[in-house]
Amino acid sequence: MPLDKFFDWFYTLFGLKKTVRLGIYGSVNTGKTTLANRISKDWTGQEVGKASPIPHETRFVQKKEKIHIKHRGKNLTINLLDMPGIATKIDYRQFLKYGLSKKAARQRAKEATDGVIEAIKWLNNVDTVLAVMDATQDPLTQVNVTLLGNLEARKIPVIIVANKIDKRRADPDAIRDAFPQYPVVEVSALKGKNVGQLYEVIAKHAKGAK
Amino acid sequence: MKPQKIKFDFVSSATLDEKPKSLRINFILNKVKNGTILVTDGVLKPEEEIDLIKETMRRVDDGFPGIEVASLKKPAKGMLNFVEKMADQKEKIQSLFAGLAGQTFEKTSMRTGLTLIGPARFIKKVKKNPNSFSVLAEV
């Protein structure tokens, strides 16, 4: 593992690294999979996973490898990693409201807790992170603060994606005010609004981007 | 109906600092899983806080859906910033040497601030502001 990190550092230092591992992180139901699907469909025509209004739909890391992004003369190859949502609590009872049986809800909760652990472990294996936040919600949550603090401590470049701007209550400026030290791109992953701007920022800020 | 009670434990950061990382997380989660709300005059480092989330997930069951955390870190400016950075560097070097010796470095100190950690079954909402937070609990 330390050897992997050394080679990683070496390749990045000399600009030899060709593929960027782009992790999509955030709280639950912020639209991470919708964004991953949007990016993947734009460049490969294929989706990464299923998005759903039921919390913790993504319970395993979903990958789409070798996505070639070309935007305004910049080329970037990414391995897209759609992460399970990070949470500090998972109660199986919340899934009963969506019509799941008790057994299915318990199973989903178990998989969701494993998914959070897996997402956290992957923090050591991403080059750049899209931190997705729901622009209709208060951004100053402990999950967001902890996630950004960890990325900063690991020196991983972060782009905050203020998602769901198609909704009336969306307030992307609240995200900018809460985290002024990070680039913030406001998008609607669902409608595809401003995604071009996101590619531009990824090409500019991603570790290993040329 | 018998009124339900919530227990608050106010623990000094010095008490938590004395414990190695793994024992510190264990200490916090044992209290919180038993229904106690823990308040301390320190802030876990981000790396330790994410370990706390990870360990919480391992312990989630029907009676313990998880935790709520709220913290306020004292902005590190001037001398405090310098002291914290030096302490971080010292810990990194100690961790590196421990790693070379095949050991795990378990001693880290908390940052100056305030943290509340409680069981999610009682704490219904945490509203954070840059310089304050409020907590809504329900029994």
Side-chain angles (χ1 to χ4, degrees), chain A residues 114-163:
Chain A
D114 291 343
V116 174
I117 295 168
E118 201 188 349
I120 292 171
K121 284 181 181 168
W122 268 89
L123 279 172
N124 293 324
N125 293 300
V126 291
D127 300 311
T128 299
V129 163
L130 299 182
V132 184
M133 298 182 193
D134 180 342
T136 68
Q137 303 288 323
D138 179 6
L140 261 181
T141 65
Q142 200 66 29
V143 166
N144 285 342
V145 171
T146 303
L147 175 64
L148 293 174
N150 269 274
L151 295 167
E152 195 178 321
R154 290 170 160 87
K155 297 186 172 29
I156 298 171
V158 185
I159 299 157
I160 295 180
V161 181
N163 193 20

Side-chain angles (χ1 to χ4, degrees), chain B residues 4-139:
Chain B
Q4 290 211 24
K5 294 172 185 171
I6 302 180
K7 185 182 169 210
F8 283 78
D9 273 2
F10 294 82
V11 181
S12 73
S13 56
T15 305
L16 293 172
D17 272 348
E18 283 168 10
K19 299 179 191 300
K21 266 195 286 188
S22 52
L23 289 184
R24 184 150 64 195
I25 288 177
N26 209 31
F27 174 85
I28 293 168
L29 283 178
N30 284 347
K31 279 192 178 293
V32 175
K33 199 163 179 182
N34 286 333
T36 301
I37 294 176
L38 185 141
V39 182
T40 182
D41 61 330
V43 176
L44 294 172
K45 286 185 180 163
E47 302 93 313
E48 205 174 352
E49 203 168 289
I50 208 124
D51 283 346
L52 176 69
I53 294 176
K54 207 160 66 177
E55 192 52 39
T56 300
M57 289 297 115
R58 292 195 177 110
R59 298 188 189 197
V60 163
D61 56 34
D62 287 2
F64 178 66
I67 59 170
E68 284 288 1
V69 186
S71 63
L72 280 180
K73 187 177 173 296
K74 187 175 179 183
K77 288 176 186 165
M79 201 58 188
L80 180 61
N81 188 30
F82 176 75
V83 170
E84 283 191 350
K85 279 192 173 157
M86 290 305 286
D88 279 353
Q89 289 306 319
K90 186 182 160 200
E91 283 173 10
K92 273 183 191 164
I93 292 166
Q94 286 174 315
S95 175
L96 180 74
F97 280 108
L100 289 171
Q103 295 164 346
T104 310
F105 182 69
E106 286 258 326
K107 193 97 180 86
T108 62
S109 45
M110 295 174 84
R111 300 276 172 83
T112 313
L114 177 72
T115 301
L116 179 146
I117 305 169
R121 69 175 188 270
F122 293 149
I123 297 179
K124 299 299 165 194
K125 198 176 175 186
V126 174
K127 169 77 182 152
K128 266 175 80 81
N129 291 303
N131 300 311
S132 65
F133 60 78
S134 55
V135 176
L136 181 71
E138 199 178 280
V139 285

Side-chain angles (χ1 to χ4, degrees), chain A residues 17-18 22 36 54 58 67 77 92 95-96 134 148 159 198:
Chain A
K17 193 166 183 172
K18 291 194 174 78
L22 185 71
I54 308 176
T58 306
I67 298 179
T77 303
Y92 82 91
F95 305 127
L96 300 176
D134 180 342
L148 293 174
I159 299 157
L198 178 62

